[in-house]
Amino acid sequence: MAWLVVRLAISMSLLYTASAVFEDQVGKFDWRQQFIGKVRFALFDTHSQASKKLLLATDKNVFASLNSRTGDLFWRHVDKTGPEGHIDALLMYGQDAVVVVGNGRLLRSWETTVGGLKWETVLDTGSFQAAALVGVQDFVKYVAVLKKSAISLHDLSSGSEIWVENLPDSDSVQYQTIYSGGNGLVLVLGVVPNSHIVIVEYKIEDGEIMNKKSVEAAWMSSLESSCAVVSSGILLCVDQITQSLYTLPLQSAEQTEMRQIHLQTLDLEVVSGFRPVLTSTQPNPAQPPLSEFFLQLSPDHHILLQFKDGLIAPLRDFNPAYLAAFATSGERTVAAVMSPKNDTACSINLFSADTGRRHLDTTIIYHMDPNGGKPNRLYVHAFLKKDDSVGYRVMVQTEDLALTFLQQPGRVVWMREEALADVVTMEMVDLPFTGTQAELEGEFGKKAAIQDGLLPMVLKRLSSQFILLQAWLAHLWKLFYDARKPRSSVKNEVTIDVLSRDEFNLQKMMLMVTASGKLFGIDSKSGTILWKQYLENIQPNSVFKLIVQRTTAHFPHPPQCTLLIKNKDTGLGSLYVFNPIFGKKSQISVPALPRPILQTLLLPVIDQDYAKVLLLIDDQYKVTAFPSTKNVLQQLQDTASSIFFYLVDSSQGKLSGFRLRKDLSTELIWEVVIPTEVQKIVAVKGKRANEHVHSQGRVMGDRSVLYKYLNPNLLAVITESTDTHQERSFVGIILIDGVTGRIVHEAVQRKARGPVHFVHSENWVVYVYWNSKFRRNEFSVLELFEGAELYNSTVFSSLDRPHPPQVLQQSYIFPAPINTLEATLTEKGITSRHLLVGLPSGNILSLPKLFLDPRRPEMVSEQSREENLIPYAPEMPIREEWFINYNQTVSRVRGIYTAPSGLESTCLVVAYGLDIYQSRVFPSKQFDVLKDDYDYILISSVLFGLFFATMISKRLAEVKLLNRAWR
Amino acid sequence: MRQMKRLLDVYVALQALFALSWCFTDADPGPAVGSQSNGERFKIEGRAIVPGVKTQDWVSTARILVEGEEYVGFVKTDGSFAVNDVPSGSYVVEIVSPSFRFDPVRVDITSKGKMRARLVNYIKTSEVLRQPYPLQIRSSGPHTYFMKRETWGWTDFLMNPMVMMMVLPLLIIVLLPKVVNTNDPEMRKEMEQSMNMLNPNPELPDVSEFMTKLFSKGSSKAGGGNKGSRSVALKRR
């Protein structure tokens, strides 16, 4: 009951502060894009002709069904990250898709039309090797899963285990593949490297070993990719050292040795250093594979071969050819081959598999993106046309994880940029002004006002007004022109050329850096990708840091962004400088970075071209400036004594502060050592550089002012205990002044552990940890105040602050797990702050900072009510109205980016993870714009009504006066 | 009234304080559960029900999250679910769906694999309110993500205190002279007397006085436009 009352009190006090979405705002300023990641397995539903399903399993542990006509998701299942959710194999038969998950731990069957789970079976532990569908008498009934030491057979309709058998000599033999040709047997193939092959035959009904034999193969190290089963059970292997193919009938008793066929006899040769690959196809699991197969001899040389009567005959040589794939429709199997056409395009052709003859009029031209990567996977969907000829569509995956779906004669049906499933860091950049806007801005430029007299200023004003009028007329004309055209032909295409800043600067350019090394420029209003750039040769373990050196404000200088790419292992970095609006690489010469980079520092110092100076500190504490012109170096020399930076060495638990010297060397000023035996540094965060604080203090209930401790150099250091025992683990927070190294405050949360998420802003730090005693997440807020008086109200100096700040702290229970945490940011900092909490459910909660106020009283008093403080309640409320993304959930949200807009009330929000969601939040509601539901009709009808009422009453009054005069 | 309110506030705060101290003294971490797993893994089973909605309409978007995303399960086409490979411990099991709301449940698994389900209570963490196991989680309806727009209606307008404050005196002014017979000299005298009592300065022109005068003249058009008539009255003076 008491809780009810408290909650009631809270909700009452919140009626005026809560921000929420109205139903009619859906999709008005927000959008979501869903991704799946890098495709590992893709299968087209060939069950029926009309089926549009495309099943995909990706490296992000996502299993999804796409509409192959539009590229949209039918459904998507996001499993756990890491090896436990890893998809090992994807098999499909009819309406069911069988997936092996978590290194062969789980076997799942999905109903593909609904997207629901049909059954799930737990398998024994053991590393997964292979899985195959097993058919008996033309019906696929079972699925076989091969582990390192066991094989099991499961019923396809219920998932129940038919039998499980241990493999003989599994500690010496590496069993790697399964083969079943529909003849009542399951064959398991294993290899003892450089010795022999082992073939074990199991009976499908009860798992009895029917036959076991070993065949000499001294040259063989692995069965995978170099071996394939073709025709009616012929094992075919290729070896690059002996330059030969080997064949072996799997079920014949007589032949005990592999037959060698020299590639020379076929006029073929494997390029040295390349591991040849054999690709065969088995269209129906209940029937033996086809006798045709592909042999890849070099990265761009494929050959289609046929195995017939113990002989291998080449059907067609594809040189050059990047990719080749089989596809089956009905009884017909075709091969699609992608070969280069010219520098920018590839042609894909269809060949019949059994003869190698080219199908006429089947060419698809694939244009390669000059800013993208090379194609590396080809998936073919073949179908029978009405005239019984074979038609096909292809899906091409490139190195930069773009999926392109093409149909004849080269029309791109859809395209997905799956690199965006793994956004590492992002920034938002203002769009440039248009010519007219720039003209207007120029009029009020600093120089103009001083030099010109009154008359030229007036003339200028008139001319710019005229330009505006012209632009407006042109706009009207365009509207009129578009209105005459049928609606379908008017495309709302967004291109870079038409992009310009809107009145309130709500539309911005989103720069996204992805883990694969592809950069994107996305229009924040519509989500359209405006440019993309694939950076080749990015190591997979690279870390990125994106820095905006020059914004769009310095016309005519183009905006400039710098991406620091750093190898995680070696620490060596490189810089990539580009224009964020057009995505073009800048011609500016970049300093060479021979030594590992420890820290970067963006100074407010600008060079003569208005680019901010970036300092890079290497492992010998030497500083490199970029750009490093004379002007910059001069400025650096002048200001060197006031440039400080800090370094974190979490392996040694050391925090150290440095000062820049005039010759760009550095000197150590302070050092704080946090003993690594007890605790380790998890994260260090300063404040955001573009943050504004509007009010210096808080007005208390008794009309006095409590001044905030606004130290711009303050660092929040989060530590976690090395002891992970439930009773002894703790989470610590240390607030350190980054200039002097003075520890401003220290707090420890006992019986707590990470992961810790925290936000450091204004005069407060909010952090979340896991309370291991009560098994719940807890929020803790630290607020720093100077007291009732400011020590030096004009300027803040870390070196001259004799009084330590007053620190207030309060903790609350948060009744949900947390993925990420960020605070809203507005132009001037007048608007109240909200915390944006990314939840594992995919929702983004906008939590008013009002709730995280350490001054929330336990006892309500007159003063606290005056201050609008909510009485303390241990549990934080979560209301569904606070989910800013309603049902547009963001899977695996990893980061939230906030940026101010031109409107003080509005903060732009981008949440990224597997999906990307962009929206706007209004923490104090839209106080500076008319609301969406502003009732224009009512207000105008009242105005008109009053107007007419006065007219009528005036008339009446006149009449009455007249009458009286006559009386 | 004010005192009542204050009393209520004090009561609320006291309750809050009580609960706070209660939650701090509660040192019992619930059932004896070792967070360290000894290798054995268990399975959390249950069924999710959305009344009145076919399962195929929501199962493809639903997920079972155990303690955040630590363990993940999926819903079968009949609404049942199982989360495999969960070591012993205490977990909050939640069904996450973008369209329907499900309440979370805490599931305790002992090291021997005994299971029980109870209501999630983050404040009194050791309180046990048993729930059925295997879990039966019934949706409490669709999510209410959206705020209602304030729609404009005549009743809202009329019930507005400001409007009421304007309209009621107007009615009194218009109707009272009609109800009370002002032509009756006795009544008139009485009223004047009371007016004089209220108005200490008889020199000052009194609005109500001439209003009554005006209306008592029996102008039948009074309802038409009182603004006009008022201006007339002023002019006449």
Side-chain angles (χ1 to χ4, degrees):
Chain A
M1 179 62 205
W3 293 115
L4 206 85
V5 176
V6 169
R7 273 192 192 155
L8 204 81
I10 290 166
S11 53
M12 287 301 280
S13 62
L14 269 177
L15 266 174
Y16 298 98
T17 57
S19 81
V21 187
F22 296 103
E23 196 155 5
D24 50 83
Q25 286 180 325
V26 166
K28 210 167 174 186
F29 45 73
D30 64 329
W31 50 263
R32 175 181 68 163
Q33 288 175 7
Q34 290 185 304
F35 299 97
I36 49 176
K38 181 186 179 180
V39 173
R40 293 188 66 238
F41 305 101
L43 292 175
F44 288 93
D45 182 12
T46 50
H47 186 65
S48 73
Q49 282 294 333
S51 175
K52 290 181 258 180
K53 279 195 297 276
L54 164 61
L55 296 177
L56 299 162
T58 71
D59 68 336
K60 292 256 171 280
N61 303 350
V62 174
F63 179 51
S65 171
L66 286 189
N67 183 339
S68 65
R69 307 285 152 84
T70 61
D72 298 331
L73 284 170
F74 279 130
W75 46 260
R76 180 183 70 172
H77 289 289
V78 182
D79 208 340
K80 207 178 151 180
T81 49
E84 281 166 70
H86 185 260
I87 297 172
D88 301 310
L90 168 64
L91 306 165
M92 187 173 165
Y93 188 75
Q95 288 293 314
D96 301 336
V98 179
V99 179
V100 184
V101 181
N103 203 3
R105 179 68 180 156
L106 294 169
L107 192 64
R108 286 192 185 125
S109 173
W110 295 93
E111 160 66 58
T112 55
T113 40
V114 174
L117 192 64
K118 230 177 133 188
W119 49 260
E120 186 180 61
T121 324
V122 186
L123 306 181
D124 295 332
T125 48
S127 75
F128 172 79
Q129 298 297 331
L133 294 171
V134 177
V136 188
Q137 290 156 354
D138 282 0
F139 285 106
V140 180
K141 276 184 172 168
Y142 309 106
V143 56
V145 180
L146 178 70
K147 297 283 194 77
K148 197 174 179 303
S149 58
I151 177 172
S152 57
L153 197 74
H154 300 265
D155 189 87
L156 204 54
S157 56
S158 67
S160 59
E161 189 179 272
I162 310 284
W163 49 262
V164 56
E165 291 292 329
N166 281 329
L167 295 164
D169 313 321
S170 61
D171 38 351
S172 61
V173 184
Q174 296 174 10
Y175 290 98
Q176 285 174 338
T177 47
I178 306 179
Y179 165 72
S180 164
N183 52 0
L185 292 172
V186 181
L187 276 71
V188 177
L189 311 183
V191 63
V192 179
N194 304 318
S195 172
H196 59 274
I197 303 174
V198 179
I199 301 159
V200 189
E201 287 178 19
Y202 287 95
K203 208 168 136 189
I204 285 179
E205 283 78 33
D206 51 7
E208 187 189 338
I209 295 182
M210 302 298 285
N211 192 6
K212 177 180 178 258
K213 67 174 177 181
S214 61
V215 180
E216 286 294 314
W219 44 270
M220 183 177 276
S221 58
S222 166
L223 279 165
E224 273 169 301
S225 82
S226 68
C227 285
V229 179
V230 296
S231 196
S232 49
I234 310 291
L235 179 69
L236 197 71
C237 294
V238 62
D239 179 44
Q240 76 265 39
I241 296 158
T242 54
Q243 292 273 345
S244 18
L245 283 164
Y246 295 87
T247 62
L248 175 75
L250 286 170
Q251 280 168 282
S252 84
E254 309 93 75
Q255 200 178 337
T256 53
E257 217 170 77
M258 293 194 88
R259 205 153 61 81
Q260 187 177 16
I261 301 168
H262 280 283
L263 283 172
Q264 271 172 342
T265 59
L266 300 164
D267 281 339
L268 299 173
E269 196 189 353
V270 180
V271 174
S272 63
F274 182 78
R275 237 191 112 149
V277 179
L278 276 172
T279 317
S280 67
T281 179
Q282 186 175 8
N284 186 347
Q287 274 164 8
L290 297 186
S291 52
E292 291 79 23
F293 58 94
F294 271 112
L295 173 63
Q296 189 182 8
L297 296 166
S298 77
D300 54 358
H301 187 191
H302 288 78
I303 186 158
L304 182 67
L305 299 154
Q306 190 179 38
F307 181 88
K308 209 172 190 180
D309 308 328
L311 290 172
I312 290 169
L315 287 177
R316 199 176 181 117
D317 195 357
F318 301 102
N319 192 11
Y322 292 142
L323 300 164
F326 285 112
T328 304
S329 175
E331 295 294 299
R332 314 250 298 262
T333 300
V334 288
V337 178
M338 179 192 262
S339 30
K341 192 163 180 259
N342 52 39
D343 288 347
T344 58
C346 289
S347 68
I348 303 163
N349 282 295
L350 207 60
F351 300 87
S352 75
D354 45 355
T355 58
R357 203 174 296 136
R358 194 169 90 89
H359 286 238
L360 292 174
D361 302 325
T362 55
T363 309
I364 289 178
I365 305 292
Y366 169 70
H367 292 278
M368 285 191 283
D369 186 359
N371 300 327
K374 288 201 188 76
N376 62 358
R377 292 289 284 276
L378 183 69
Y379 303 97
V380 185
H381 179 213
F383 53 89
L384 287 175
K385 287 188 196 160
K386 275 179 192 139
D387 58 348
D388 212 34
S389 63
V390 182
Y392 75 121
R393 302 186 187 93
V394 290
M395 185 171 77
V396 183
Q397 185 178 19
T398 53
E399 285 170 340
D400 55 332
L401 310 185
L403 287 179
T404 316
F405 195 77
L406 300 137
Q407 71 178 35
Q408 288 171 353
R411 192 171 76 84
V412 176
V413 184
W414 49 262
M415 205 174 162
R416 294 179 68 89
E417 290 289 353
E418 290 303 334
L420 285 171
D422 202 351
V423 174
V424 182
T425 177
M426 69 165 292
E427 281 290 338
M428 268 184 163
V429 179
D430 295 348
L431 288 170
F433 287 117
T434 57
T436 46
Q437 281 172 324
E439 186 81 15
L440 270 182
E441 288 286 310
E443 188 195 344
F444 303 108
K446 284 173 247 164
K447 286 174 195 164
I450 302 159
Q451 286 168 5
D452 297 348
L454 192 66
L455 194 66
M457 289 269 285
V458 172
L459 285 178
K460 222 175 195 177
R461 169 96 268 203
L462 285 177
S463 74
S464 53
Q465 292 286 11
F466 181 70
I467 291 166
L468 272 185
L469 183 73
Q470 234 176 351
W472 186 64
L473 285 177
H475 175 72
L476 278 187
W477 172 245
K478 195 171 169 290
L479 275 184
F480 174 69
Y481 193 74
D482 283 347
R484 291 195 318 180
K485 279 195 275 185
R487 186 154 295 178
S488 58
S489 70
V490 183
K491 277 189 207 157
N492 297 330
E493 248 179 52
V494 189
T495 55
I496 297 172
D497 311 313
V498 299
L499 270 189
S500 64
R501 196 179 300 188
D502 58 339
E503 297 153 284
F504 298 128
N505 201 2
L506 291 165
Q507 189 177 8
K508 293 197 181 197
M509 177 68 89
M510 288 160 57
L511 302 178
M512 299 201 125
V513 182
T514 63
S516 62
K518 198 170 186 184
L519 308 182
F520 290 90
I522 300 174
D523 169 32
S524 77
K525 197 177 177 186
S526 62
T528 326
I529 295 170
L530 296 172
W531 58 263
K532 49 202 167 188
Q533 180 73 48
Y534 179 55
L535 307 179
E536 277 165 62
N537 308 322
I538 298 282
Q539 258 76 45
N541 57 350
S542 297
V543 283
F544 300 90
K545 187 165 184 183
L546 188 61
I547 301 134
V548 182
Q549 279 197 291
R550 183 166 54 216
T551 60
T552 30
H554 306 284
F555 188 78
H557 297 288
Q560 180 183 326
C561 275
T562 303
L563 180 69
L564 173 70
I565 306 151
K566 192 173 132 182
N567 190 314
K568 220 177 202 169
D569 297 333
T570 61
L572 289 174
S574 62
L575 293 177
Y576 177 81
V577 186
F578 63 100
N579 179 334
I581 303 298
F582 300 101
K584 292 205 185 71
K585 192 177 175 185
S586 170
Q587 300 303 320
I588 295 170
S589 64
V590 176
L593 305 169
R595 301 217 55 90
I597 300 297
L598 294 182
Q599 175 73 292
T600 59
L601 197 60
L602 189 68
L603 296 182
V605 177
I606 51 171
D607 72 348
Q608 70 272 31
D609 289 339
Y610 304 101
K612 281 185 186 166
V613 176
L614 181 69
L615 294 188
L616 302 149
I617 295 111
D618 63 22
D619 64 342
Q620 290 182 331
Y621 312 117
K622 287 259 168 57
V623 174
T624 314
F626 171 70
S628 57
T629 55
K630 222 176 219 170
N631 179 315
V632 170
L633 294 178
Q634 182 61 45
Q635 285 191 58
L636 280 181
Q637 271 189 14
D638 298 344
T639 54
S641 58
S642 61
I643 295 174
F644 297 85
F645 62 91
Y646 68 94
L647 296 177
V648 187
D649 186 351
S650 59
S651 63
Q652 291 176 24
K654 206 162 72 180
L655 277 162
S656 37
F658 291 83
R659 179 156 75 171
L660 199 67
R661 284 215 196 108
K662 282 199 191 315
D663 57 344
L664 289 190
S665 62
T666 55
E667 61 180 321
L668 183 74
I669 293 186
W670 55 267
E671 200 168 54
V672 173
V673 178
I674 293 156
T676 46
E677 303 88 67
V678 185
Q679 52 188 334
K680 55 179 189 290
I681 299 171
V682 184
V684 179
K685 251 190 215 173
K687 288 174 191 173
R688 287 179 67 163
N690 57 347
E691 177 184 278
H692 292 275
V693 181
H694 181 256
S695 55
Q696 287 274 310
R698 285 182 59 165
V699 181
M700 314 284 286
D702 58 0
R703 297 287 180 276
S704 64
V705 176
L706 189 60
Y707 285 100
K708 295 175 182 170
Y709 178 76
L710 296 167
N711 183 348
N713 311 316
L714 198 68
L715 302 174
V717 181
I718 298 284
T719 61
E720 273 178 41
S721 63
T722 41
D723 190 349
T724 52
H725 188 270
Q726 191 185 327
E727 290 291 311
R728 292 186 295 272
S729 66
F730 64 88
V731 167
I733 180 163
I734 306 167
L735 300 178
I736 293 185
D737 190 301
V739 170
T740 57
R742 182 156 89 156
I743 294 178
V744 174
H745 183 68
E746 204 173 350
V748 166
Q749 231 74 39
R750 287 190 198 288
K751 288 174 189 166
R753 62 170 168 84
V756 180
H757 305 279
F758 68 114
V759 176
H760 182 193
S761 180
E762 280 187 46
N763 64 327
W764 47 266
V765 182
V766 170
Y767 58 104
V768 193
Y769 51 87
W770 173 258
N771 185 328
S772 47
K773 185 181 171 193
F774 293 110
R775 289 187 301 266
R776 63 191 181 202
N777 276 298
E778 286 181 9
F779 260 108
S780 196
V781 57
L782 276 173
E783 258 184 50
L784 289 89
F785 291 99
E786 290 225 347
E789 269 173 58
L790 269 183
Y791 176 71
N792 181 351
S793 58
T794 48
V795 67
F796 187 94
S797 168
S798 288
L799 302 168
D800 181 29
R801 282 281 132 167
H803 311 297
Q806 300 171 8
V807 182
L808 301 174
Q809 181 162 20
Q810 227 170 41
S811 298
Y812 318 87
I813 301 163
F814 189 71
I818 285 175
N819 271 11
T820 183
L821 193 67
E822 188 53 78
T824 59
L825 195 66
T826 50
E827 181 83 8
K828 295 272 179 269
I830 300 166
T831 309
S832 62
R833 308 290 294 268
H834 274 204
L835 286 172
L836 299 169
V837 188
L839 306 175
S841 63
N843 286 116
I844 293 156
L845 178 77
S846 177
L847 186 70
K849 169 74 178 58
L850 218 66
F851 276 98
L852 293 154
D853 186 347
R855 302 190 61 256
R856 278 174 70 174
E858 284 167 16
M859 288 278 226
V860 181
S861 67
E862 201 66 42
Q863 285 194 5
S864 73
R865 200 175 303 140
E866 193 106 325
E867 269 186 77
N868 249 336
L869 292 173
I870 308 161
Y872 181 82
E875 193 172 341
M876 195 80 73
I878 294 183
R879 287 169 53 179
E880 283 171 349
E881 288 95 340
W882 294 349
F883 291 147
I884 59 166
N885 58 342
Y886 47 104
N887 66 357
Q888 305 288 299
T889 52
V890 186
S891 283
R892 289 198 198 132
V893 53
R894 200 170 51 241
I896 296 174
Y897 179 87
T898 52
S901 73
L903 281 176
E904 171 55 34
S905 68
T906 310
C907 168
L908 304 177
V909 176
V910 182
Y912 54 89
L914 192 60
D915 306 336
I916 296 173
Y917 178 78
Q918 191 276 143
S919 186
R920 299 173 193 163
V921 288
F922 318 102
S924 302
K925 293 203 169 178
Q926 286 177 286
F927 58 80
D928 48 6
V929 271
L930 287 183
K931 274 186 223 146
D932 283 338
D933 60 342
Y934 188 76
D935 210 333
Y936 293 94
I937 297 164
L938 178 76
I939 208 92
S940 42
S941 61
V942 166
L943 267 179
F944 278 112
L946 284 176
F947 178 72
F948 284 120
T950 42
M951 294 291 279
I952 291 164
S953 54
K954 195 179 171 194
R955 175 83 194 131
L956 284 175
E958 273 169 9
V959 167
K960 195 167 185 182
L961 261 184
L962 196 66
N963 284 344
R964 192 158 293 157
W966 275 107
R967 206 180 286 166
Chain B
M1 182 62 204
R2 200 189 167 95
Q3 205 155 18
M4 264 278 280
K5 217 171 160 188
R6 189 173 290 170
L7 246 163
L8 188 77
D9 279 343
V10 169
Y11 169 72
V12 167
L14 268 173
Q15 287 289 345
L17 200 73
F18 164 72
L20 193 79
S21 59
W22 195 90
C23 97
F24 282 134
T25 49
D26 168 38
D28 176 31
V33 169
S35 60
Q36 270 78 29
S37 63
N38 48 3
E40 220 175 326
R41 299 288 179 117
F42 305 100
K43 186 162 146 188
I44 299 172
E45 284 176 297
R47 178 182 290 274
I49 303 146
V50 183
V53 182
K54 279 188 206 153
T55 47
Q56 62 248 43
D57 295 342
W58 59 272
V59 285
S60 66
T61 50
R63 283 209 293 170
I64 320 294
L65 299 186
V66 179
E67 212 63 64
E69 261 178 323
E70 223 162 293
Y71 306 95
V72 177
F74 299 101
V75 187
K76 286 186 194 162
T77 40
D78 61 350
S80 64
F81 62 85
V83 184
N84 292 297
D85 279 347
V86 183
S88 62
S90 174
Y91 306 94
V92 175
V93 179
E94 202 175 354
I95 302 176
V96 172
S97 159
S99 16
F100 296 101
R101 181 175 45 216
F102 295 91
D103 290 326
V105 175
R106 186 176 280 283
V107 172
D108 301 319
I109 310 172
T110 63
S111 54
K112 290 202 181 96
K114 258 183 103 176
M115 305 230 182
R116 72 166 181 202
R118 55 187 169 112
L119 273 184
V120 177
N121 190 337
Y122 285 106
I123 296 166
K124 304 177 195 171
T125 46
S126 59
E127 191 187 55
V128 180
L129 283 170
R130 288 295 276 266
Q131 296 280 94
Y133 188 88
L135 303 170
Q136 294 283 334
I137 303 177
R138 191 173 281 273
S139 165
S140 50
H143 286 293
T144 49
Y145 290 121
F146 302 109
M147 298 272 278
K148 275 239 172 69
R149 281 265 187 221
E150 283 168 31
T151 47
W152 196 85
W154 281 104
T155 45
D156 295 346
F157 177 72
L158 289 179
M159 286 313 183
N160 190 327
M162 294 300 277
V163 174
M164 296 253 270
M165 261 161 69
M166 268 167 60
V167 169
L168 272 179
L170 206 78
L171 282 179
I172 289 166
I173 290 167
V174 174
L175 292 181
L176 208 65
K178 299 215 165 162
V179 177
V180 185
N181 190 1
T182 39
N183 284 340
D184 184 8
E186 265 178 51
M187 185 70 109
R188 205 161 160 173
K189 214 172 208 171
E190 211 174 283
M191 273 173 78
E192 263 168 21
Q193 255 176 13
S194 63
M195 283 292 166
N196 286 340
M197 260 164 69
L198 277 172
N199 201 354
N201 192 352
E203 296 295 300
L204 223 71
D206 188 55
V207 183
S208 56
E209 196 183 352
F210 78 69
M211 276 291 190
T212 40
K213 262 184 204 160
L214 179 75
F215 288 115
S216 63
K217 286 253 161 99
S219 67
S220 53
K221 283 191 285 182
N226 60 35
K227 252 187 194 169
S229 51
R230 190 182 290 191
S231 66
V232 171
L234 278 169
K235 263 181 195 164
R236 202 164 52 169
R237 231 166 223 248

